[in-house]
Amino acid sequence: MTQPTHEEEVLLDDIYNDTPTDVMVRGKKFSVRWLKAGTRRRLTSMLLKSGDETKVSCKAASLIVLNGHFKIMLLHWLLWRWYYYIRQYGEEELTELIATAKKKIPLRQYWINTTLLTAMRDTMMMMTRAEVSAFRPELSGGNTEKSAKSGLG
């Protein structure tokens, strides 16, 4: 195994510290940080309820740039209209901003938490002692009885 290069270490440090990634859109620099859960929730809701497809990219760009509950509540209605009607950003101009935001979703922790929480549900079917005693030897590899899986017929 090889040691990481200096550039790779800097990249990992930027990930840990939530260092913003700068994206240029028509000469203006936007900083994109890790997307917060509320921002992802609003993006999903906006995509599901969107009536006019031409406004979707500007609405998404506004949510990505604001990226915070109170900022979104106070400024989203104004900012997406600014992008759409005043600045008139096109789809091709906002692609890099949206692609960078896609990379800023912390999925690994989400998957781990989802897996752990699924195992903790109280609605899962509980096994009886007899089912557990029949199931446990198969897990360890020591079959005490022949099961349907190991039978010849």
Side-chain angles (χ1 to χ4, degrees), residues 83-119:
Y83 291 164
Y84 186 74
Y85 293 113
I86 308 298
R87 298 290 297 191
Q88 296 182 354
Y89 288 134
E91 301 285 334
E92 65 283 349
E93 294 174 302
L94 298 175
T95 300
E96 187 178 351
L97 178 70
I98 293 170
T100 303
K102 167 67 175 82
K103 296 175 188 175
K104 294 285 191 166
I105 298 175
L107 290 177
R108 184 168 186 230
Q109 294 85 3
Y110 171 75
W111 290 331
I112 290 170
N113 289 346
T114 301
T115 303
L116 293 173
L117 290 170
T118 301

PDB file of all heavy atoms in Angstrom, residues 83-119:
ATOM      1  N   TYR A  83     -32.047  35.068 -10.033  1.00  0.00           N
ATOM      2  CA  TYR A  83     -31.304  34.248 -10.984  1.00  0.00           C
ATOM      3  C   TYR A  83     -32.087  34.045 -12.284  1.00  0.00           C
ATOM      4  O   TYR A  83     -31.517  34.063 -13.364  1.00  0.00           O
ATOM      5  CB  TYR A  83     -30.971  32.882 -10.393  1.00  0.00           C
ATOM      6  CG  TYR A  83     -29.962  32.886  -9.276  1.00  0.00           C
ATOM      7  CD1 TYR A  83     -29.823  31.788  -8.455  1.00  0.00           C
ATOM      8  CD2 TYR A  83     -29.144  33.977  -9.029  1.00  0.00           C
ATOM      9  CE1 TYR A  83     -28.895  31.767  -7.425  1.00  0.00           C
ATOM     10  CE2 TYR A  83     -28.222  33.963  -8.006  1.00  0.00           C
ATOM     11  CZ  TYR A  83     -28.100  32.864  -7.207  1.00  0.00           C
ATOM     12  OH  TYR A  83     -27.188  32.847  -6.198  1.00  0.00           O
ATOM     13  N   TYR A  84     -33.390  33.842 -12.175  1.00  0.00           N
ATOM     14  CA  TYR A  84     -34.197  33.485 -13.340  1.00  0.00           C
ATOM     15  C   TYR A  84     -34.587  34.705 -14.183  1.00  0.00           C
ATOM     16  O   TYR A  84     -34.425  34.705 -15.396  1.00  0.00           O
ATOM     17  CB  TYR A  84     -35.454  32.734 -12.900  1.00  0.00           C
ATOM     18  CG  TYR A  84     -36.284  32.206 -14.044  1.00  0.00           C
ATOM     19  CD1 TYR A  84     -35.864  31.098 -14.765  1.00  0.00           C
ATOM     20  CD2 TYR A  84     -37.471  32.826 -14.406  1.00  0.00           C
ATOM     21  CE1 TYR A  84     -36.615  30.617 -15.830  1.00  0.00           C
ATOM     22  CE2 TYR A  84     -38.222  32.352 -15.459  1.00  0.00           C
ATOM     23  CZ  TYR A  84     -37.793  31.248 -16.170  1.00  0.00           C
ATOM     24  OH  TYR A  84     -38.529  30.776 -17.224  1.00  0.00           O
ATOM     25  N   TYR A  85     -35.128  35.748 -13.522  1.00  0.00           N
ATOM     26  CA  TYR A  85     -35.655  36.884 -14.266  1.00  0.00           C
ATOM     27  C   TYR A  85     -34.616  37.982 -14.520  1.00  0.00           C
ATOM     28  O   TYR A  85     -34.598  38.573 -15.611  1.00  0.00           O
ATOM     29  CB  TYR A  85     -36.842  37.505 -13.521  1.00  0.00           C
ATOM     30  CG  TYR A  85     -38.036  36.591 -13.457  1.00  0.00           C
ATOM     31  CD1 TYR A  85     -38.457  36.061 -12.255  1.00  0.00           C
ATOM     32  CD2 TYR A  85     -38.752  36.258 -14.604  1.00  0.00           C
ATOM     33  CE1 TYR A  85     -39.551  35.212 -12.180  1.00  0.00           C
ATOM     34  CE2 TYR A  85     -39.842  35.408 -14.549  1.00  0.00           C
ATOM     35  CZ  TYR A  85     -40.242  34.896 -13.337  1.00  0.00           C
ATOM     36  OH  TYR A  85     -41.314  34.069 -13.274  1.00  0.00           O
ATOM     37  N   ILE A  86     -33.766  38.288 -13.557  1.00  0.00           N
ATOM     38  CA  ILE A  86     -32.831  39.395 -13.695  1.00  0.00           C
ATOM     39  C   ILE A  86     -31.522  38.934 -14.351  1.00  0.00           C
ATOM     40  O   ILE A  86     -31.125  39.438 -15.392  1.00  0.00           O
ATOM     41  CB  ILE A  86     -32.533  40.056 -12.322  1.00  0.00           C
ATOM     42  CG1 ILE A  86     -33.823  40.425 -11.590  1.00  0.00           C
ATOM     43  CG2 ILE A  86     -31.610  41.253 -12.489  1.00  0.00           C
ATOM     44  CD1 ILE A  86     -34.703  41.420 -12.290  1.00  0.00           C
ATOM     45  N   ARG A  87     -30.840  37.946 -13.732  1.00  0.00           N
ATOM     46  CA  ARG A  87     -29.567  37.454 -14.276  1.00  0.00           C
ATOM     47  C   ARG A  87     -29.772  36.538 -15.480  1.00  0.00           C
ATOM     48  O   ARG A  87     -28.886  36.400 -16.309  1.00  0.00           O
ATOM     49  CB  ARG A  87     -28.778  36.705 -13.197  1.00  0.00           C
ATOM     50  CG  ARG A  87     -28.386  37.525 -11.994  1.00  0.00           C
ATOM     51  CD  ARG A  87     -27.364  38.528 -12.292  1.00  0.00           C
ATOM     52  NE  ARG A  87     -26.136  37.845 -12.706  1.00  0.00           N
ATOM     53  CZ  ARG A  87     -24.981  38.411 -12.846  1.00  0.00           C
ATOM     54  NH1 ARG A  87     -24.842  39.676 -12.617  1.00  0.00           N
ATOM     55  NH2 ARG A  87     -23.933  37.729 -13.222  1.00  0.00           N
ATOM     56  N   GLN A  88     -30.912  35.905 -15.558  1.00  0.00           N
ATOM     57  CA  GLN A  88     -31.294  35.004 -16.645  1.00  0.00           C
ATOM     58  C   GLN A  88     -30.233  33.919 -16.900  1.00  0.00           C
ATOM     59  O   GLN A  88     -29.767  33.719 -18.024  1.00  0.00           O
ATOM     60  CB  GLN A  88     -31.594  35.785 -17.924  1.00  0.00           C
ATOM     61  CG  GLN A  88     -32.783  36.701 -17.779  1.00  0.00           C
ATOM     62  CD  GLN A  88     -33.118  37.453 -19.044  1.00  0.00           C
ATOM     63  OE1 GLN A  88     -32.400  37.386 -20.034  1.00  0.00           O
ATOM     64  NE2 GLN A  88     -34.224  38.174 -19.019  1.00  0.00           N
ATOM     65  N   TYR A  89     -29.878  33.210 -15.826  1.00  0.00           N
ATOM     66  CA  TYR A  89     -28.933  32.103 -15.947  1.00  0.00           C
ATOM     67  C   TYR A  89     -29.575  30.979 -16.741  1.00  0.00           C
ATOM     68  O   TYR A  89     -30.725  30.619 -16.531  1.00  0.00           O
ATOM     69  CB  TYR A  89     -28.530  31.562 -14.570  1.00  0.00           C
ATOM     70  CG  TYR A  89     -27.620  32.471 -13.780  1.00  0.00           C
ATOM     71  CD1 TYR A  89     -27.863  32.726 -12.437  1.00  0.00           C
ATOM     72  CD2 TYR A  89     -26.498  33.043 -14.358  1.00  0.00           C
ATOM     73  CE1 TYR A  89     -27.021  33.541 -11.703  1.00  0.00           C
ATOM     74  CE2 TYR A  89     -25.652  33.863 -13.632  1.00  0.00           C
ATOM     75  CZ  TYR A  89     -25.917  34.111 -12.312  1.00  0.00           C
ATOM     76  OH  TYR A  89     -25.082  34.914 -11.594  1.00  0.00           O
ATOM     77  N   GLY A  90     -28.793  30.389 -17.634  1.00  0.00           N
ATOM     78  CA  GLY A  90     -29.262  29.262 -18.425  1.00  0.00           C
ATOM     79  C   GLY A  90     -28.869  27.941 -17.779  1.00  0.00           C
ATOM     80  O   GLY A  90     -28.069  27.896 -16.845  1.00  0.00           O
ATOM     81  N   GLU A  91     -29.434  26.885 -18.304  1.00  0.00           N
ATOM     82  CA  GLU A  91     -29.157  25.543 -17.787  1.00  0.00           C
ATOM     83  C   GLU A  91     -27.658  25.227 -17.840  1.00  0.00           C
ATOM     84  O   GLU A  91     -27.096  24.703 -16.893  1.00  0.00           O
ATOM     85  CB  GLU A  91     -29.923  24.492 -18.597  1.00  0.00           C
ATOM     86  CG  GLU A  91     -31.426  24.660 -18.598  1.00  0.00           C
ATOM     87  CD  GLU A  91     -32.056  24.230 -17.301  1.00  0.00           C
ATOM     88  OE1 GLU A  91     -31.466  23.387 -16.614  1.00  0.00           O
ATOM     89  OE2 GLU A  91     -33.134  24.735 -16.979  1.00  0.00           O
ATOM     90  N   GLU A  92     -27.033  25.545 -18.971  1.00  0.00           N
ATOM     91  CA  GLU A  92     -25.620  25.216 -19.153  1.00  0.00           C
ATOM     92  C   GLU A  92     -24.715  25.993 -18.201  1.00  0.00           C
ATOM     93  O   GLU A  92     -23.634  25.524 -17.843  1.00  0.00           O
ATOM     94  CB  GLU A  92     -25.180  25.448 -20.603  1.00  0.00           C
ATOM     95  CG  GLU A  92     -25.224  26.896 -21.069  1.00  0.00           C
ATOM     96  CD  GLU A  92     -26.627  27.423 -21.388  1.00  0.00           C
ATOM     97  OE1 GLU A  92     -27.572  26.637 -21.465  1.00  0.00           O
ATOM     98  OE2 GLU A  92     -26.747  28.649 -21.547  1.00  0.00           O
ATOM     99  N   GLU A  93     -25.141  27.169 -17.760  1.00  0.00           N
ATOM    100  CA  GLU A  93     -24.335  27.960 -16.829  1.00  0.00           C
ATOM    101  C   GLU A  93     -24.395  27.409 -15.407  1.00  0.00           C
ATOM    102  O   GLU A  93     -23.447  27.546 -14.643  1.00  0.00           O
ATOM    103  CB  GLU A  93     -24.799  29.418 -16.828  1.00  0.00           C
ATOM    104  CG  GLU A  93     -24.556  30.126 -18.141  1.00  0.00           C
ATOM    105  CD  GLU A  93     -25.157  31.507 -18.166  1.00  0.00           C
ATOM    106  OE1 GLU A  93     -26.379  31.631 -17.966  1.00  0.00           O
ATOM    107  OE2 GLU A  93     -24.390  32.466 -18.383  1.00  0.00           O
ATOM    108  N   LEU A  94     -25.505  26.806 -15.042  1.00  0.00           N
ATOM    109  CA  LEU A  94     -25.701  26.316 -13.677  1.00  0.00           C
ATOM    110  C   LEU A  94     -25.299  24.855 -13.501  1.00  0.00           C
ATOM    111  O   LEU A  94     -25.305  24.344 -12.385  1.00  0.00           O
ATOM    112  CB  LEU A  94     -27.158  26.518 -13.258  1.00  0.00           C
ATOM    113  CG  LEU A  94     -27.630  27.966 -13.211  1.00  0.00           C
ATOM    114  CD1 LEU A  94     -29.111  28.041 -12.903  1.00  0.00           C
ATOM    115  CD2 LEU A  94     -26.827  28.763 -12.196  1.00  0.00           C
ATOM    116  N   THR A  95     -24.926  24.182 -14.578  1.00  0.00           N
ATOM    117  CA  THR A  95     -24.585  22.759 -14.501  1.00  0.00           C
ATOM    118  C   THR A  95     -23.416  22.501 -13.561  1.00  0.00           C
ATOM    119  O   THR A  95     -23.459  21.586 -12.739  1.00  0.00           O
ATOM    120  CB  THR A  95     -24.267  22.211 -15.902  1.00  0.00           C
ATOM    121  OG1 THR A  95     -25.418  22.391 -16.722  1.00  0.00           O
ATOM    122  CG2 THR A  95     -23.909  20.741 -15.844  1.00  0.00           C
ATOM    123  N   GLU A  96     -22.349  23.304 -13.646  1.00  0.00           N
ATOM    124  CA  GLU A  96     -21.184  23.079 -12.795  1.00  0.00           C
ATOM    125  C   GLU A  96     -21.520  23.305 -11.322  1.00  0.00           C
ATOM    126  O   GLU A  96     -21.061  22.562 -10.450  1.00  0.00           O
ATOM    127  CB  GLU A  96     -20.030  23.996 -13.208  1.00  0.00           C
ATOM    128  CG  GLU A  96     -18.752  23.681 -12.464  1.00  0.00           C
ATOM    129  CD  GLU A  96     -17.594  24.553 -12.895  1.00  0.00           C
ATOM    130  OE1 GLU A  96     -17.708  25.290 -13.888  1.00  0.00           O
ATOM    131  OE2 GLU A  96     -16.566  24.484 -12.212  1.00  0.00           O
ATOM    132  N   LEU A  97     -22.349  24.309 -11.017  1.00  0.00           N
ATOM    133  CA  LEU A  97     -22.765  24.572  -9.640  1.00  0.00           C
ATOM    134  C   LEU A  97     -23.556  23.392  -9.076  1.00  0.00           C
ATOM    135  O   LEU A  97     -23.299  22.927  -7.960  1.00  0.00           O
ATOM    136  CB  LEU A  97     -23.606  25.851  -9.575  1.00  0.00           C
ATOM    137  CG  LEU A  97     -24.150  26.248  -8.216  1.00  0.00           C
ATOM    138  CD1 LEU A  97     -23.015  26.723  -7.314  1.00  0.00           C
ATOM    139  CD2 LEU A  97     -25.190  27.330  -8.355  1.00  0.00           C
ATOM    140  N   ILE A  98     -24.481  22.862  -9.856  1.00  0.00           N
ATOM    141  CA  ILE A  98     -25.310  21.748  -9.406  1.00  0.00           C
ATOM    142  C   ILE A  98     -24.473  20.470  -9.295  1.00  0.00           C
ATOM    143  O   ILE A  98     -24.625  19.693  -8.347  1.00  0.00           O
ATOM    144  CB  ILE A  98     -26.517  21.565 -10.348  1.00  0.00           C
ATOM    145  CG1 ILE A  98     -27.448  22.784 -10.217  1.00  0.00           C
ATOM    146  CG2 ILE A  98     -27.273  20.291 -10.040  1.00  0.00           C
ATOM    147  CD1 ILE A  98     -28.543  22.860 -11.248  1.00  0.00           C
ATOM    148  N   ALA A  99     -23.546  20.249 -10.225  1.00  0.00           N
ATOM    149  CA  ALA A  99     -22.682  19.061 -10.167  1.00  0.00           C
ATOM    150  C   ALA A  99     -21.767  19.114  -8.945  1.00  0.00           C
ATOM    151  O   ALA A  99     -21.527  18.086  -8.293  1.00  0.00           O
ATOM    152  CB  ALA A  99     -21.858  18.956 -11.442  1.00  0.00           C
ATOM    153  N   THR A 100     -21.268  20.292  -8.605  1.00  0.00           N
ATOM    154  CA  THR A 100     -20.423  20.434  -7.413  1.00  0.00           C
ATOM    155  C   THR A 100     -21.230  20.174  -6.156  1.00  0.00           C
ATOM    156  O   THR A 100     -20.759  19.520  -5.228  1.00  0.00           O
ATOM    157  CB  THR A 100     -19.799  21.843  -7.365  1.00  0.00           C
ATOM    158  OG1 THR A 100     -19.054  22.050  -8.571  1.00  0.00           O
ATOM    159  CG2 THR A 100     -18.891  21.998  -6.167  1.00  0.00           C
ATOM    160  N   ALA A 101     -22.462  20.651  -6.118  1.00  0.00           N
ATOM    161  CA  ALA A 101     -23.328  20.422  -4.957  1.00  0.00           C
ATOM    162  C   ALA A 101     -23.644  18.943  -4.797  1.00  0.00           C
ATOM    163  O   ALA A 101     -23.737  18.434  -3.681  1.00  0.00           O
ATOM    164  CB  ALA A 101     -24.621  21.220  -5.097  1.00  0.00           C
ATOM    165  N   LYS A 102     -23.775  18.222  -5.909  1.00  0.00           N
ATOM    166  CA  LYS A 102     -24.040  16.784  -5.862  1.00  0.00           C
ATOM    167  C   LYS A 102     -22.907  16.052  -5.152  1.00  0.00           C
ATOM    168  O   LYS A 102     -23.127  15.093  -4.427  1.00  0.00           O
ATOM    169  CB  LYS A 102     -24.207  16.246  -7.284  1.00  0.00           C
ATOM    170  CG  LYS A 102     -24.193  14.757  -7.432  1.00  0.00           C
ATOM    171  CD  LYS A 102     -25.402  14.103  -6.798  1.00  0.00           C
ATOM    172  CE  LYS A 102     -25.453  12.625  -7.058  1.00  0.00           C
ATOM    173  NZ  LYS A 102     -24.627  11.825  -6.177  1.00  0.00           N
ATOM    174  N   LYS A 103     -21.679  16.541  -5.320  1.00  0.00           N
ATOM    175  CA  LYS A 103     -20.521  15.928  -4.677  1.00  0.00           C
ATOM    176  C   LYS A 103     -20.444  16.274  -3.199  1.00  0.00           C
ATOM    177  O   LYS A 103     -19.674  15.670  -2.469  1.00  0.00           O
ATOM    178  CB  LYS A 103     -19.237  16.391  -5.359  1.00  0.00           C
ATOM    179  CG  LYS A 103     -19.119  15.957  -6.793  1.00  0.00           C
ATOM    180  CD  LYS A 103     -17.895  16.555  -7.430  1.00  0.00           C
ATOM    181  CE  LYS A 103     -17.868  16.284  -8.912  1.00  0.00           C
ATOM    182  NZ  LYS A 103     -16.750  16.968  -9.568  1.00  0.00           N
ATOM    183  N   LYS A 104     -21.218  17.247  -2.762  1.00  0.00           N
ATOM    184  CA  LYS A 104     -21.147  17.731  -1.384  1.00  0.00           C
ATOM    185  C   LYS A 104     -22.242  17.132  -0.506  1.00  0.00           C
ATOM    186  O   LYS A 104     -22.729  17.769   0.419  1.00  0.00           O
ATOM    187  CB  LYS A 104     -21.251  19.260  -1.363  1.00  0.00           C
ATOM    188  CG  LYS A 104     -20.086  19.968  -2.003  1.00  0.00           C
ATOM    189  CD  LYS A 104     -18.891  19.913  -1.107  1.00  0.00           C
ATOM    190  CE  LYS A 104     -17.794  20.834  -1.583  1.00  0.00           C
ATOM    191  NZ  LYS A 104     -16.784  21.024  -0.575  1.00  0.00           N
ATOM    192  N   ILE A 105     -22.646  15.931  -0.795  1.00  0.00           N
ATOM    193  CA  ILE A 105     -23.646  15.248   0.026  1.00  0.00           C
ATOM    194  C   ILE A 105     -22.943  14.139   0.792  1.00  0.00           C
ATOM    195  O   ILE A 105     -22.392  13.213   0.186  1.00  0.00           O
ATOM    196  CB  ILE A 105     -24.780  14.666  -0.843  1.00  0.00           C
ATOM    197  CG1 ILE A 105     -25.504  15.785  -1.576  1.00  0.00           C
ATOM    198  CG2 ILE A 105     -25.754  13.868   0.005  1.00  0.00           C
ATOM    199  CD1 ILE A 105     -26.548  15.313  -2.549  1.00  0.00           C
ATOM    200  N   PRO A 106     -22.928  14.202   2.124  1.00  0.00           N
ATOM    201  CA  PRO A 106     -22.233  13.180   2.917  1.00  0.00           C
ATOM    202  C   PRO A 106     -23.030  11.885   2.993  1.00  0.00           C
ATOM    203  O   PRO A 106     -23.773  11.651   3.934  1.00  0.00           O
ATOM    204  CB  PRO A 106     -22.093  13.840   4.290  1.00  0.00           C
ATOM    205  CG  PRO A 106     -23.223  14.809   4.355  1.00  0.00           C
ATOM    206  CD  PRO A 106     -23.481  15.266   2.947  1.00  0.00           C
ATOM    207  N   LEU A 107     -22.887  11.013   2.004  1.00  0.00           N
ATOM    208  CA  LEU A 107     -23.705   9.805   1.933  1.00  0.00           C
ATOM    209  C   LEU A 107     -23.230   8.684   2.852  1.00  0.00           C
ATOM    210  O   LEU A 107     -24.033   7.909   3.343  1.00  0.00           O
ATOM    211  CB  LEU A 107     -23.754   9.289   0.495  1.00  0.00           C
ATOM    212  CG  LEU A 107     -24.547  10.151  -0.471  1.00  0.00           C
ATOM    213  CD1 LEU A 107     -24.461   9.568  -1.867  1.00  0.00           C
ATOM    214  CD2 LEU A 107     -25.985  10.255  -0.037  1.00  0.00           C
ATOM    215  N   ARG A 108     -21.926   8.572   3.061  1.00  0.00           N
ATOM    216  CA  ARG A 108     -21.429   7.438   3.838  1.00  0.00           C
ATOM    217  C   ARG A 108     -22.030   7.417   5.238  1.00  0.00           C
ATOM    218  O   ARG A 108     -22.494   6.382   5.709  1.00  0.00           O
ATOM    219  CB  ARG A 108     -19.910   7.482   3.915  1.00  0.00           C
ATOM    220  CG  ARG A 108     -19.351   6.273   4.618  1.00  0.00           C
ATOM    221  CD  ARG A 108     -17.855   6.187   4.439  1.00  0.00           C
ATOM    222  NE  ARG A 108     -17.387   4.939   5.000  1.00  0.00           N
ATOM    223  CZ  ARG A 108     -16.380   4.861   5.840  1.00  0.00           C
ATOM    224  NH1 ARG A 108     -15.716   5.935   6.181  1.00  0.00           N
ATOM    225  NH2 ARG A 108     -16.017   3.695   6.318  1.00  0.00           N
ATOM    226  N   GLN A 109     -22.043   8.558   5.925  1.00  0.00           N
ATOM    227  CA  GLN A 109     -22.616   8.619   7.266  1.00  0.00           C
ATOM    228  C   GLN A 109     -24.116   8.350   7.220  1.00  0.00           C
ATOM    229  O   GLN A 109     -24.669   7.702   8.100  1.00  0.00           O
ATOM    230  CB  GLN A 109     -22.358   9.988   7.905  1.00  0.00           C
ATOM    231  CG  GLN A 109     -20.916  10.272   8.189  1.00  0.00           C
ATOM    232  CD  GLN A 109     -20.173  10.835   6.985  1.00  0.00           C
ATOM    233  OE1 GLN A 109     -20.761  11.073   5.945  1.00  0.00           O
ATOM    234  NE2 GLN A 109     -18.877  11.021   7.136  1.00  0.00           N
ATOM    235  N   TYR A 110     -24.778   8.836   6.180  1.00  0.00           N
ATOM    236  CA  TYR A 110     -26.216   8.601   6.031  1.00  0.00           C
ATOM    237  C   TYR A 110     -26.502   7.115   5.898  1.00  0.00           C
ATOM    238  O   TYR A 110     -27.415   6.585   6.527  1.00  0.00           O
ATOM    239  CB  TYR A 110     -26.728   9.370   4.809  1.00  0.00           C
ATOM    240  CG  TYR A 110     -28.146   9.029   4.431  1.00  0.00           C
ATOM    241  CD1 TYR A 110     -29.218   9.500   5.180  1.00  0.00           C
ATOM    242  CD2 TYR A 110     -28.407   8.222   3.342  1.00  0.00           C
ATOM    243  CE1 TYR A 110     -30.507   9.179   4.838  1.00  0.00           C
ATOM    244  CE2 TYR A 110     -29.697   7.900   2.993  1.00  0.00           C
ATOM    245  CZ  TYR A 110     -30.741   8.383   3.747  1.00  0.00           C
ATOM    246  OH  TYR A 110     -32.023   8.055   3.403  1.00  0.00           O
ATOM    247  N   TRP A 111     -25.723   6.403   5.089  1.00  0.00           N
ATOM    248  CA  TRP A 111     -25.935   4.963   4.901  1.00  0.00           C
ATOM    249  C   TRP A 111     -25.686   4.199   6.191  1.00  0.00           C
ATOM    250  O   TRP A 111     -26.429   3.277   6.530  1.00  0.00           O
ATOM    251  CB  TRP A 111     -25.051   4.431   3.792  1.00  0.00           C
ATOM    252  CG  TRP A 111     -25.436   4.894   2.428  1.00  0.00           C
ATOM    253  CD1 TRP A 111     -26.684   5.228   1.991  1.00  0.00           C
ATOM    254  CD2 TRP A 111     -24.578   5.080   1.314  1.00  0.00           C
ATOM    255  NE1 TRP A 111     -26.655   5.609   0.677  1.00  0.00           N
ATOM    256  CE2 TRP A 111     -25.367   5.529   0.236  1.00  0.00           C
ATOM    257  CE3 TRP A 111     -23.216   4.917   1.121  1.00  0.00           C
ATOM    258  CZ2 TRP A 111     -24.839   5.807  -1.009  1.00  0.00           C
ATOM    259  CZ3 TRP A 111     -22.703   5.198  -0.132  1.00  0.00           C
ATOM    260  CH2 TRP A 111     -23.508   5.634  -1.176  1.00  0.00           C
ATOM    261  N   ILE A 112     -24.641   4.560   6.910  1.00  0.00           N
ATOM    262  CA  ILE A 112     -24.344   3.888   8.181  1.00  0.00           C
ATOM    263  C   ILE A 112     -25.478   4.115   9.167  1.00  0.00           C
ATOM    264  O   ILE A 112     -25.957   3.174   9.816  1.00  0.00           O
ATOM    265  CB  ILE A 112     -22.996   4.380   8.749  1.00  0.00           C
ATOM    266  CG1 ILE A 112     -21.853   3.869   7.881  1.00  0.00           C
ATOM    267  CG2 ILE A 112     -22.813   3.922  10.194  1.00  0.00           C
ATOM    268  CD1 ILE A 112     -20.507   4.488   8.217  1.00  0.00           C
ATOM    269  N   ASN A 113     -25.922   5.358   9.296  1.00  0.00           N
ATOM    270  CA  ASN A 113     -27.005   5.666  10.234  1.00  0.00           C
ATOM    271  C   ASN A 113     -28.292   4.959   9.844  1.00  0.00           C
ATOM    272  O   ASN A 113     -29.013   4.451  10.706  1.00  0.00           O
ATOM    273  CB  ASN A 113     -27.232   7.169  10.314  1.00  0.00           C
ATOM    274  CG  ASN A 113     -26.110   7.884  11.019  1.00  0.00           C
ATOM    275  OD1 ASN A 113     -25.287   7.267  11.680  1.00  0.00           O
ATOM    276  ND2 ASN A 113     -26.060   9.183  10.870  1.00  0.00           N
ATOM    277  N   THR A 114     -28.602   4.912   8.568  1.00  0.00           N
ATOM    278  CA  THR A 114     -29.816   4.236   8.112  1.00  0.00           C
ATOM    279  C   THR A 114     -29.756   2.749   8.441  1.00  0.00           C
ATOM    280  O   THR A 114     -30.734   2.164   8.915  1.00  0.00           O
ATOM    281  CB  THR A 114     -30.009   4.430   6.603  1.00  0.00           C
ATOM    282  OG1 THR A 114     -30.091   5.826   6.333  1.00  0.00           O
ATOM    283  CG2 THR A 114     -31.269   3.750   6.124  1.00  0.00           C
ATOM    284  N   THR A 115     -28.609   2.128   8.225  1.00  0.00           N
ATOM    285  CA  THR A 115     -28.446   0.710   8.533  1.00  0.00           C
ATOM    286  C   THR A 115     -28.620   0.454  10.025  1.00  0.00           C
ATOM    287  O   THR A 115     -29.312  -0.483  10.432  1.00  0.00           O
ATOM    288  CB  THR A 115     -27.067   0.217   8.071  1.00  0.00           C
ATOM    289  OG1 THR A 115     -26.941   0.486   6.676  1.00  0.00           O
ATOM    290  CG2 THR A 115     -26.901  -1.264   8.319  1.00  0.00           C
ATOM    291  N   LEU A 116     -27.983   1.278  10.845  1.00  0.00           N
ATOM    292  CA  LEU A 116     -28.089   1.100  12.290  1.00  0.00           C
ATOM    293  C   LEU A 116     -29.515   1.339  12.791  1.00  0.00           C
ATOM    294  O   LEU A 116     -30.009   0.590  13.636  1.00  0.00           O
ATOM    295  CB  LEU A 116     -27.119   2.048  13.004  1.00  0.00           C
ATOM    296  CG  LEU A 116     -25.633   1.751  12.799  1.00  0.00           C
ATOM    297  CD1 LEU A 116     -24.794   2.855  13.406  1.00  0.00           C
ATOM    298  CD2 LEU A 116     -25.264   0.406  13.381  1.00  0.00           C
ATOM    299  N   LEU A 117     -30.154   2.358  12.279  1.00  0.00           N
ATOM    300  CA  LEU A 117     -31.515   2.663  12.724  1.00  0.00           C
ATOM    301  C   LEU A 117     -32.519   1.612  12.267  1.00  0.00           C
ATOM    302  O   LEU A 117     -33.488   1.327  12.959  1.00  0.00           O
ATOM    303  CB  LEU A 117     -31.927   4.054  12.239  1.00  0.00           C
ATOM    304  CG  LEU A 117     -31.190   5.198  12.916  1.00  0.00           C
ATOM    305  CD1 LEU A 117     -31.493   6.510  12.206  1.00  0.00           C
ATOM    306  CD2 LEU A 117     -31.549   5.284  14.387  1.00  0.00           C
ATOM    307  N   THR A 118     -32.282   1.015  11.113  1.00  0.00           N
ATOM    308  CA  THR A 118     -33.175  -0.043  10.633  1.00  0.00           C
ATOM    309  C   THR A 118     -33.150  -1.230  11.581  1.00  0.00           C
ATOM    310  O   THR A 118     -34.175  -1.844  11.869  1.00  0.00           O
ATOM    311  CB  THR A 118     -32.761  -0.481   9.217  1.00  0.00           C
ATOM    312  OG1 THR A 118     -32.832   0.649   8.356  1.00  0.00           O
ATOM    313  CG2 THR A 118     -33.667  -1.572   8.700  1.00  0.00           C
ATOM    314  N   ALA A 119     -31.975  -1.552  12.106  1.00  0.00           N
ATOM    315  CA  ALA A 119     -31.856  -2.682  13.028  1.00  0.00           C
ATOM    316  C   ALA A 119     -32.492  -2.388  14.384  1.00  0.00           C
ATOM    317  O   ALA A 119     -32.797  -3.314  15.135  1.00  0.00           O
ATOM    318  CB  ALA A 119     -30.384  -3.035  13.222  1.00  0.00           C
TER     319      ALA A 119
END
